[in-house]
Amino acid sequence: MKSYKKLTTAQPAACQVEEEGAAPTPSGHGKLAPWWVGSGLLVAAVLLSTITVWVLRQVSGGWLGPTPPPKCLLVPESHRFDCYPERNVVVTQELCESRGCCFIQSPPLAEGKQGVPWCFYPPDFPSYTLESLNQTALGMVGVLVRREKAYYPRDIERLRLDVEFETDTRLHIKITDAANPRYEVPLDVPRVMKRAENPIYSLNFSWDPFGVLLQRKATGTVLLNTTVAPLIFADQFLQISTSLPSKFLYGLGEHRGSLLHSLDWNTLTLWARDVSPTESFNLYGAHPFYLLMEEGGNAHGVFLLNSNAMEVALQPAPGLTWRTIGGVLDFYIFLGPDPNMVIQQYQQVIGFPAMPPIWALGFHLCRWGYGSSNETWQTVRAMRNYQIPQDAQWNDIDYMDGYRDFTLDSQKFASLPSLVEDLHKHGQRYVMILDPGISSTSPRGSYWPFDEGLRRGLFLNTTQGQPLIGQVWPGFTAFADFSNPDTHQWWLENLQHFYAHVPFDGLWIDMNEPSNFMDGSEDGCPPGEFDSPPYTPAVLGNSLSAKTVCASAKQKVSVHYNLHNLYGLMEAKATASALIKIRGKRPFIISRSTFPSQGRYSGHWLGDNRSQWKDMCYSIPGLLSFSLFGIPLVGADICGFSGSTSEELCTRWMQLGAFYPFARNHNTQNEKAQDPTAFSPAARTAMKDVLLTRYSLLPFLYTLFHRAHLQGDTVARPLFFEFPWDVATWELDRQFLWGRSLLVTPVLEPGVDSVTGYVPQGTWYDFYTGSSVNSSGEMLKMSAPLEHLNLHIREGSILPTQKPGTTTEVTRGNPLHLIVALSPHATAWGDLFWDDGESLDTFEKGNYSYVMFNVTQVGCGEGRSRGFPCYLVTLSSCCPLLQNIFTSTVLHASTEATKVTIGTLSIFGVQKPPSKVLLNGQEKAFSYLDNQVLTVSDLGMSLSQGFSLQWL
């Protein structure tokens, strides 16, 4: 029997420090007003701030300097928006006041900590004025004018404001130079043809100073109020700030940390960078999108369509500042009102994710350091010998000749073509790595990828028009310019040549930030506005060229300064196109660097993590963040990439990783093996069992990906998405859901045999046994021996599962097992999407099956009136008052559905032992357990045929 212990307080997370007993408390802004028009609370804060400054001056011996002007003392600490954000500068009063800003020195903080800005904007700092505003067919157009120069060079005096009421839940606001064109992100976005008729938001403007004032009509909540600080729009410094309606903000990737961002003077930098995931660093991708929970459970999202180097400063007001060094301010605001709808609306702009092939959802195995194709093959055979599920075998860069793309080490990997053939015979796939750095040192005529790329002019160039040469794994390299359509054709031709020898199934595109072992190039970077801009965001290395190419590098579409954050997206787009042309099937691509809309072309892994418990724990907020970003095919390197894992850590990580949407075990060279066959029989069995559990859930997981592809649903889902009214879920990132139905509670700490998790209000059923737990919304302590992962099914759900095999191909031929988790009202719902698992556009072409499952409880009269056959609403002796009916309804059918049967139906939560069960009116044998689980086996029903089952 399963044991649960109710707890009164949440347990501290393993990968973050939390104040014990702290509970989330939403805060909101009531009135729409500039920040200096204070309510009673703001006045009190001002008074407290003023008194605090006075007291500190008395005890500091004068180190705080002269008394600031009264207008500066009026600004409470939490509302001080930074006027001097430059790093590596000691901000003095002279420097600050030269910008016309307030200077109040605060006590020093610990090294590396940010605090209250010493230099901040006064209430009367000059900004833009809204000079005119006119109605258009889609919204409004206005002109903004700055009367006084700002403190960054080449500030733009006249701006154009475009507002489009695109849908009832989507608002588009764009601010750009009124006179001259500027770089804009080359991303396909929807163009609306008419203005929204009934928007759920109201938009107003402050004219002088200019400000955007956006409210939710239903609640009056102020979502945006940009009057809190001046708008600055210079050629290479764009800044706009806003108040926030609560402190519960998510997104803004890619970073390592908790799912919920701290607003305690926290700056997040967006500039793609090759670095092992580390807190406070800008990582591999850039996602300028946030989701924010409002008081009462509503949610909204904001997307800044801008690809330049950027930082987002968060502060406890609560407030936020966007700060970017190029492009335009192009905002989309999504009104939800619930978090699921916000993410759907976001993906309506950036594009819905691609439907992956079914084998992509199997288990993947890789390492850097197999050493040879024969050693790789031995690992595959060992996995088969122990009958451990595996769908794909990968190789890292060691398969290449001298680490050069599109080459094969003819000595150590001579048998690779035979290995790939063997994988295909066993229904398995092969995935290989590619890097965008192309070796430039081979003798002319000996390395076609470089020779031909050079001839066609397909590489990033220096300001002098010569290929920029950096250094990556093969040594000196040039970098493919994927912004050039001609590069896509060259990339395709290279892949075709290699595919003729090694027929790979998917591609892993790495190092595509792009990574460079040098800073800039072999010649450094030239002086100038791109490599030494007036302002550099807080990037790791303090330079835009740190471990990447020069920002001044020339590309087909624009300068790298503008395109850097798009490099991985553009490579993924070229790679997806090539794979479709080569294989004629759905492409499978995993990319390290990402940008909004990447989900249309690839998945993502969370980078070069470490074999540590903390890294495992942080992987959950990582994958949940990418669910927000529209990239559902995401996971971390299971058991860790660098360092040596332990058996306990790897067992627990395999349990968690079996529920990553993308599940791959990968580690580095010169460390001990960490594939499941490398461990003791007990650990190996635990790993095998959890993979079999994953494979049994493939029909459910595949259907979730269909819903993501069709309408932008998330696959791995934060708990607050399903329970937005429950503020206790807003900070949870040690658990997650698959869809709306399956709760995953992994063990994230060493040396324990139990785990504490939050169970939202309602009835939840143990996935393995069907035993129920009724929760009022509380922390529960659950038994978790080393061989066990806690999984719970939500009431009212129906999960399609399948007898698992060792590959997805084998599994798909096995009978289905439907698991019904009844609600207290004896109802449940679920669905199943089924196709051939690999063909292109099956949904769009109608080559699929879609089946809906329902359980209802009806009376005799209601059953007859709803058209149920008479055998479902009558008995030979009498008609019960309430009848329980399961129905399988085929809403769309294809020939693929005729190849699979529904074998078993298990129903959790059947309150009383049935007297009989009827399948399409015929009595059927069943079993019933004391934990209220009803099971009907040997159904033998084709998935392509609807049926009904009744228990009485």
Side-chain angles (χ1 to χ4, degrees):
M1 286 294 292
K2 203 69 188 292
S3 62
Y4 302 93
K5 181 180 179 182
K6 296 186 178 182
L7 303 174
T8 55
T9 58
Q11 300 298 300
C15 49
Q16 61 189 18
V17 178
E18 295 180 353
E19 294 184 35
E20 189 171 354
T25 309
S27 60
H29 293 289
K31 294 187 177 181
L32 187 65
W35 65 274
W36 56 84
V37 181
S39 63
L41 285 175
L42 185 54
V43 171
V46 170
L47 289 173
L48 181 59
S49 176
T50 304
I51 294 170
T52 301
V53 170
W54 182 87
V55 170
L56 285 172
R57 289 181 186 284
Q58 304 311 305
V59 301
S60 68
W63 67 268
L64 289 177
T67 303
K71 68 178 182 181
C72 298
L73 293 174
L74 283 173
V75 184
E77 286 189 349
S78 64
H79 288 66
R80 293 177 184 172
F81 286 83
D82 200 346
C83 179
Y84 216 108
E86 283 82 352
R87 297 294 196 278
N88 303 319
V89 175
V90 177
V91 182
T92 64
Q93 184 168 353
E94 182 181 7
L95 285 172
C96 179
E97 292 179 350
S98 70
R99 293 186 172 184
C101 291
C102 296
F103 184 83
I104 298 180
Q105 194 169 349
S106 301
L109 297 176
E111 184 177 354
K113 293 286 187 180
Q114 299 180 57
V116 181
W118 292 3
C119 184
F120 57 94
Y121 296 106
D124 58 353
F125 190 93
S127 185
Y128 286 86
T129 298
L130 180 57
E131 184 178 73
S132 65
L133 188 66
N134 298 299
Q135 296 292 320
T136 66
L138 298 177
M140 292 175 274
V141 62
V143 175
L144 311 180
V145 177
R146 174 176 277 281
R147 309 295 182 191
E148 298 183 38
K149 286 281 187 180
Y151 48 83
Y152 282 105
R154 301 190 302 281
D155 62 336
I156 298 170
E157 295 182 11
R158 294 178 65 84
L159 302 176
R160 176 186 171 103
L161 168 70
D162 285 288
V163 177
E164 293 185 357
F165 301 98
E166 293 195 339
T167 73
D168 289 343
T169 57
R170 186 173 83 225
L171 176 65
H172 187 188
I173 300 175
K174 183 176 174 181
I175 302 173
T176 189
D177 189 334
N180 300 298
R182 292 179 61 80
Y183 164 77
E184 297 187 27
V185 182
L187 190 70
D188 293 331
V189 293
R191 301 297 179 189
V192 298
M193 303 305 295
K194 66 175 185 177
R195 179 173 176 156
E197 296 179 356
N198 298 295
I200 65 172
Y201 50 86
S202 63
L203 179 66
N204 293 287
F205 296 99
S206 168
W207 286 66
D208 188 11
F210 167 74
V212 176
L213 307 168
L214 180 67
Q215 281 182 287
R216 185 181 298 280
K217 284 183 179 178
T219 61
T221 302
V222 179
L223 308 183
L224 297 177
N225 177 2
T226 69
T227 65
V228 294
L231 167 66
I232 297 178
F233 202 120
D235 183 41
Q236 289 182 275
F237 186 89
L238 291 70
Q239 178 176 279
I240 190 168
S241 303
T242 182
S243 63
L244 300 171
S246 88
K247 65 179 183 179
F248 294 95
L249 182 142
Y250 316 83
L252 298 174
E254 180 177 7
H255 299 93
R256 183 162 100 153
S258 59
L259 179 64
L260 176 68
H261 287 301
S262 167
L263 269 60
D264 188 17
W265 307 106
N266 181 21
T267 298
L268 303 169
T269 305
L270 281 64
W271 183 248
R273 168 66 194 250
D274 172 8
V275 62
S276 296
T278 305
E279 297 88 323
S280 79
F281 288 178
N282 50 294
L283 301 182
Y284 310 106
H287 292 272
F289 166 82
Y290 71 78
L291 179 143
L292 188 138
M293 292 299 295
E294 307 160 26
E295 185 174 6
N298 287 329
H300 71 274
V302 177
F303 171 42
L304 173 55
L305 180 51
N306 182 294
S307 61
N308 289 89
M310 180 188 309
E311 60 191 18
V312 184
L314 307 175
Q315 61 191 77
L320 175 149
T321 297
W322 297 96
R323 198 178 289 134
T324 185
I325 60 172
V328 302
L329 296 176
D330 192 0
F331 289 101
Y332 289 86
I333 301 98
F334 311 100
L335 274 291
D338 72 54
N340 287 293
M341 295 175 71
V342 170
I343 302 307
Q344 290 174 346
Q345 292 156 12
Y346 175 43
Q347 291 176 90
Q348 287 169 4
V349 170
I350 64 171
F352 295 127
M355 184 69 185
I358 183 68
W359 64 266
L361 308 185
F363 179 60
H364 301 246
L365 192 55
C366 183
R367 77 166 299 171
W368 179 22
Y370 280 124
S372 69
S373 50
N374 286 339
E375 187 178 337
T376 309
W377 208 338
Q378 289 172 8
T379 302
V380 173
R381 289 174 175 141
M383 291 286 285
R384 290 178 192 158
N385 181 57
Y386 288 113
Q387 296 184 308
I388 299 172
Q390 182 189 2
D391 258 83
Q393 180 61 52
W394 297 38
N395 276 126
D396 208 316
I397 58 175
D398 39 4
Y399 79 88
M400 301 176 183
D401 180 9
Y403 299 145
R404 296 178 302 165
D405 278 354
F406 312 113
T407 66
L408 187 66
D409 185 327
S410 61
Q411 300 299 314
K412 296 179 181 178
F413 281 82
S415 63
L416 184 58
S418 299
L419 165 59
V420 174
E421 182 182 5
D422 178 67
L423 288 168
H424 290 165
K425 285 180 179 178
H426 286 83
Q428 295 171 302
R429 269 69 176 187
Y430 180 71
V431 180
M432 66 182 195
I433 194 171
L434 283 176
D435 295 338
I438 303 298
S439 175
S440 61
T441 59
S442 299
R444 184 176 293 272
S446 66
Y447 185 47
W448 191 88
F450 178 74
D451 292 341
E452 190 64 15
L454 185 65
R455 187 184 72 81
R456 300 186 197 180
L458 304 180
F459 298 123
L460 272 65
N461 285 334
T462 66
T463 55
Q464 303 302 312
Q466 298 300 313
L468 183 148
I469 302 300
Q471 185 175 12
V472 201
W473 295 113
F476 290 114
T477 56
F479 297 86
D481 177 10
F482 291 103
S483 76
N484 187 342
D486 294 339
T487 305
H488 292 213
Q489 177 62 29
W490 164 84
W491 193 245
L492 167 64
E493 292 170 19
N494 278 290
L495 287 168
Q496 286 173 327
H497 295 158
F498 195 80
Y499 186 84
H501 299 284
V502 181
F504 51 84
D505 300 283
L507 291 171
W508 169 22
I509 51 177
D510 191 13
M511 308 290 287
N512 55 352
E513 293 72 31
S515 177
N516 185 1
F517 296 165
M518 298 175 164
D519 289 348
S521 77
E522 62 177 343
D523 300 316
C525 296
E529 60 186 8
F530 295 125
D531 293 299
S532 301
Y535 179 81
T536 300
V539 298
L540 178 63
N542 301 312
S543 168
L544 297 183
S545 62
K547 302 307 176 190
T548 188
V549 300
C550 297
S552 58
K554 294 180 178 180
Q555 296 189 236
K556 178 74 171 181
V557 168
S558 184
V559 68
H560 191 74
Y561 180 89
N562 294 325
L563 300 180
H564 174 82
N565 282 338
L566 297 173
Y567 194 90
L569 169 63
M570 290 179 169
E571 185 190 14
K573 190 173 182 179
T575 307
S577 174
L579 276 177
I580 290 171
K581 290 175 182 176
I582 291 170
R583 300 183 69 249
K585 299 175 181 178
R586 288 177 220 164
F588 171 75
I589 301 161
I590 294 295
S591 174
R592 191 167 72 179
S593 189
T594 59
F595 190 80
S597 82
Q598 187 100 17
R600 297 172 58 189
Y601 311 105
S602 83
H604 173 63
W605 98 103
L606 298 176
D608 296 339
N609 60 4
R610 304 166 188 84
S611 296
Q612 297 176 4
W613 290 90
K614 182 173 74 168
D615 288 67
M616 176 174 66
C617 188
Y618 272 131
S619 71
I620 299 177
L623 72 94
L624 294 179
S625 291
F626 275 87
S627 291
L628 271 59
F629 300 149
I631 306 176
L633 189 63
V634 60
D637 282 346
I638 298 170
C639 301
F641 173 71
S642 64
S644 284
T645 190
S646 67
E647 181 163 290
E648 181 189 13
L649 172 59
C650 199
T651 302
R652 292 302 194 189
W653 209 329
M654 283 289 294
Q655 290 169 346
L656 168 59
F659 286 85
Y660 293 156
F662 164 60
R664 181 186 72 163
N665 181 315
H666 176 49
N667 70 325
T668 189
Q669 61 181 352
N670 302 320
E671 299 288 354
K672 61 184 181 183
Q674 62 185 37
D675 63 86
T677 70
F679 296 98
S680 71
R684 186 172 63 239
T685 299
M687 295 177 187
K688 175 182 176 179
D689 287 348
V690 77
L691 288 176
L692 289 171
T693 299
R694 177 189 177 89
Y695 274 61
S696 74
L697 284 159
L698 283 173
F700 174 57
L701 180 61
Y702 193 62
T703 301
L704 292 178
F705 270 96
H706 166 68
R707 298 178 72 86
H709 170 64
L710 183 64
Q711 62 190 36
D713 284 6
T714 53
V715 176
R717 189 171 301 177
L719 271 69
F720 74 84
F721 270 47
E722 289 300 316
F723 303 92
W725 59 87
D726 183 354
V727 296
T729 64
W730 292 9
E731 294 190 52
L732 298 179
D733 59 8
R734 300 185 66 186
Q735 301 165 269
F736 57 97
L737 294 158
W738 267 12
R740 64 175 298 275
S741 306
L742 188 65
L743 176 62
V744 183
T745 307
V747 172
L748 303 172
E749 298 169 327
V752 299
D753 59 5
S754 65
V755 62
T756 299
Y758 187 78
V759 180
Q761 184 176 11
T763 301
W764 296 80
Y765 298 91
D766 183 281
F767 171 80
Y768 310 98
T769 67
S771 297
S772 63
V773 55
N774 296 304
S775 174
S776 60
E778 55 205 319
M779 300 297 297
L780 295 180
K781 185 176 181 180
M782 312 171 198
S783 175
L786 186 59
E787 69 278 5
H788 184 73
L789 171 69
N790 276 275
L791 299 173
H792 290 87
I793 306 176
R794 185 181 181 183
E795 64 176 49
S797 304
I798 300 177
L799 269 57
T801 71
Q802 201 162 19
K803 180 182 177 182
T806 54
T807 65
T808 54
E809 187 174 296
V810 172
T811 300
R812 282 173 56 83
N814 291 336
L816 290 165
H817 176 192
L818 305 180
I819 301 176
V820 178
L822 293 178
S823 73
H825 302 291
T827 60
W829 178 90
D831 62 343
L832 174 63
F833 177 82
W834 193 271
D835 62 9
D836 68 6
E838 62 179 6
S839 293
L840 294 163
D841 304 323
T842 56
F843 177 79
E844 292 77 5
K845 296 175 181 177
N847 299 326
Y848 69 94
S849 295
Y850 182 70
V851 185
M852 186 177 294
F853 309 114
N854 274 289
V855 171
T856 55
Q857 194 174 64
V858 300
C860 296
E862 181 186 358
R864 293 191 182 98
S865 68
R866 289 170 57 181
F868 286 115
C870 59
Y871 62 75
L872 289 179
V873 293
T874 61
L875 290 175
S876 56
S877 57
C878 67
C879 181
L881 294 177
L882 291 175
Q883 310 207 29
N884 303 286
I885 301 171
F886 170 93
T887 57
S888 173
T889 305
V890 180
L891 298 181
H892 193 278
S894 70
T895 56
E896 290 295 324
T898 63
K899 302 175 184 178
V900 65
T901 60
I902 298 176
T904 305
L905 182 66
S906 294
I907 306 169
F908 298 168
V910 178
Q911 298 294 318
K912 298 178 181 179
S915 58
K916 64 174 60 178
V917 170
L918 302 176
L919 174 63
N920 288 341
Q922 303 298 313
E923 195 163 335
K924 190 72 178 171
F926 65 91
S927 66
Y928 181 82
L929 302 179
D930 292 342
N931 63 345
Q932 301 182 337
V933 174
L934 169 64
T935 301
V936 186
S937 303
D938 301 320
L939 294 175
M941 301 300 300
S942 171
L943 181 62
S944 62
Q945 296 178 335
F947 68 93
S948 299
L949 185 140
Q950 177 189 21
W951 63 96
L952 309 162

